[in-house]
Amino acid sequence: MKSIIQYEWLQIKRNKVSVILLIAIGMLLILSMVISWNYYNWYDQQQQQVSQNARHHWETQGEKNSHSAAHFGIYLFKPLSPLAIWDNGVDKHYGVSLFVEAHARNQLQFKAIEDNPLLARWGELTPATVLLVLLPLLLLWLAGNSIVNDRLNGTLKLMITQGVSVRKLVWAKALTLWCISTVMITSIWLTGGILATVLSRESFFTISSLLLLLLYNIYAGVFIHVGLLVSMKARTRRSALVTVLSIWLLAVWLVPRVFVQWSEKQWPAINTEAFLTKIKTDIAFHGLNSHGAEGSKEKELERKWLQQYGVDSLPQLPINWLGVVLQADEDINNPIYDKHYDSLYAGYYNQMAIHRWSGWLSPMMPAQIASMAFAGTNLQNSEHFYAQTETYRKVFIKKLNDHLRDNSLYGGRDTGRGDYWKTAPLFEYQPTAFINKWKQAKWSFLNVLLWLVVLLIGMHIIAGRVKNISNPVA
């Protein structure tokens, strides 16, 4: 086995195209890590600095009433996961910051895709992109040429006559390619882990990152064994080359693209303007307007509070009526916002459900879905951040409304100063727990693993049936 592995490695080194591809993929992996490191470093510094500045502006906004302060608002920023240096997922598409204010549930902002249209069309060079898209091409090339070359140059016949079984030969070739892919993947994983750990307040080397490493090795193994199956069946180098290139195009480009377009057709995303108009209309009919409109909800609210304090008119209340109405606005309108945003995310998740079906034709999208889940950069993680900001917003605004209600009377305004603004709660983002990451990644991870298991069994069976050891013309 050892001599076969050494022979296979020697054959790879002698093939100029293989060497060029190995060097090219290696250089792209290094370049992608440099790009990811630079972005991660830049964003981490910006996130800390801007978050501190936003808090400082809030605390030093000067003397004003609580409702004016609620409209002054504050920006919240999402810290990057350490594993984002490997796979930045959807963060650059969905945004990483939110402006918190009264009466409104704003959308995520600072989307890198808006500043770089090429990012939307071509994506970004990250270690995940190189390993998902380009490494399979290298492995298919190496594996696809492997056995057919031995058959054509007579090496396969010679080995068999010396007592080496085809099955043993094939497994030795697979092990050689596994070593190559594992070294490449593990090296870039360790490099990214060390760099991310230096910058981040969290550790890169977690169970999630270990599963990420395992996922990419399994994914690479799928293409190794597909290539070897092609090589066992191919009669010529040309047919092997055409077949592996066709498989690569089908697996990493055509199948994912078809399923993405199908999902968008089945569950089209509503544009931002139409979405916000829909919410505004719903609030107009079923919500509460705290700035002057009179309706049944406002009158019912007034009766409730007059009865509670046993008075006949709003000026007789020992509190500021405006604070009551403002908080009622939040309490009544928040469920309307929740309903529409839940519907929006449900549409995205329905699209993702269709994406997962592509796993029966290609391992590409399941691997991508699992990768983003383990890295903490998928859609669920973005929604997780958004949900925490909304929880914070509700507490933040209620504190201001209650202060206005309890510290002034009808027609007046409370006065907030620096010491009071400092009592506003700090936003502390809680990353997605590992158990939730696993739930999000589980079926996609197992899908990729199933591909590998089926191919391993198939290769083992077919290798035992290879009878043709003649030297057909290339």
Side-chain angles (χ1 to χ4, degrees), residues 402-419:
D402 289 350
H403 189 271
L404 173 61
R405 181 194 67 194
D406 298 335
N407 291 275
S408 57
L409 297 175
Y410 185 85
R413 291 290 189 273
D414 67 329
T415 301
R417 296 180 177 85
D419 289 342

Side-chain angles (χ1 to χ4, degrees), residues 149-326:
N149 278 344
D150 286 347
R151 181 187 288 119
L152 293 173
N153 62 27
T155 304
L156 179 61
K157 183 176 182 179
L158 179 62
M159 286 186 174
I160 291 176
T161 58
Q162 291 178 345
V164 178
S165 69
V166 175
R167 184 171 283 165
K168 183 178 180 181
L169 177 66
V170 171
W171 278 108
K173 290 177 178 291
L175 185 58
T176 304
L177 296 176
W178 269 94
C179 289
I180 292 172
S181 65
T182 300
V183 168
M184 295 180 76
I185 295 168
T186 306
S187 297
I188 204 69
W189 178 81
L190 282 171
T191 303
I194 293 169
L195 292 174
T197 302
V198 169
L199 281 178
S200 178
R201 290 167 294 281
E202 302 175 55
S203 173
F204 176 93
F205 299 105
T206 60
I207 297 177
S208 294
S209 72
L210 289 172
L211 285 172
L212 196 66
L213 176 64
L214 179 60
L215 169 70
Y216 278 89
N217 277 289
I218 293 172
Y219 178 74
V222 169
F223 290 95
I224 289 171
H225 294 285
V226 167
L228 289 172
L229 285 169
V230 170
S231 194
M232 280 190 283
K233 290 295 184 180
R235 302 292 296 172
T236 66
R237 294 186 182 94
R238 182 177 299 173
S239 65
L241 177 61
V242 170
T243 303
V244 294
L245 283 176
S246 299
I247 290 172
W248 179 74
L249 287 170
L250 184 72
V252 306
W253 185 78
L254 184 60
V255 170
R257 188 176 182 85
V258 167
F259 275 82
V260 166
Q261 292 182 345
W262 179 28
S263 70
E264 291 174 349
K265 184 176 181 181
Q266 293 295 315
W267 300 96
I270 185 171
N271 67 61
T272 302
E273 185 178 353
F275 176 69
L276 295 178
T277 300
K278 195 174 180 181
I279 294 177
K280 186 177 180 181
T281 302
D282 199 352
I283 289 176
F285 280 97
H286 304 105
L288 184 147
N289 186 341
S290 58
H291 287 291
E294 288 290 337
S296 59
K297 288 185 174 62
E298 289 83 353
K299 292 178 180 177
E300 177 60 30
L301 183 68
E302 183 178 325
R303 282 196 298 269
K304 174 186 172 183
W305 282 83
L306 290 177
Q307 270 187 343
Q308 180 176 332
Y309 281 94
V311 296
D312 300 322
S313 63
L314 297 178
Q316 294 177 332
L317 289 172
I319 57 175
N320 192 325
W321 175 245
L322 179 60
V324 175
V325 176
L326 289 171

Side-chain angles (χ1 to χ4, degrees), residues 101-116:
E101 62 175 331
H103 309 311
R105 182 170 173 177
N106 295 316
Q107 295 188 308
L108 292 173
Q109 300 175 342
F110 299 113
K111 304 171 185 178
I113 194 173
E114 294 175 343
D115 299 324
N116 185 5

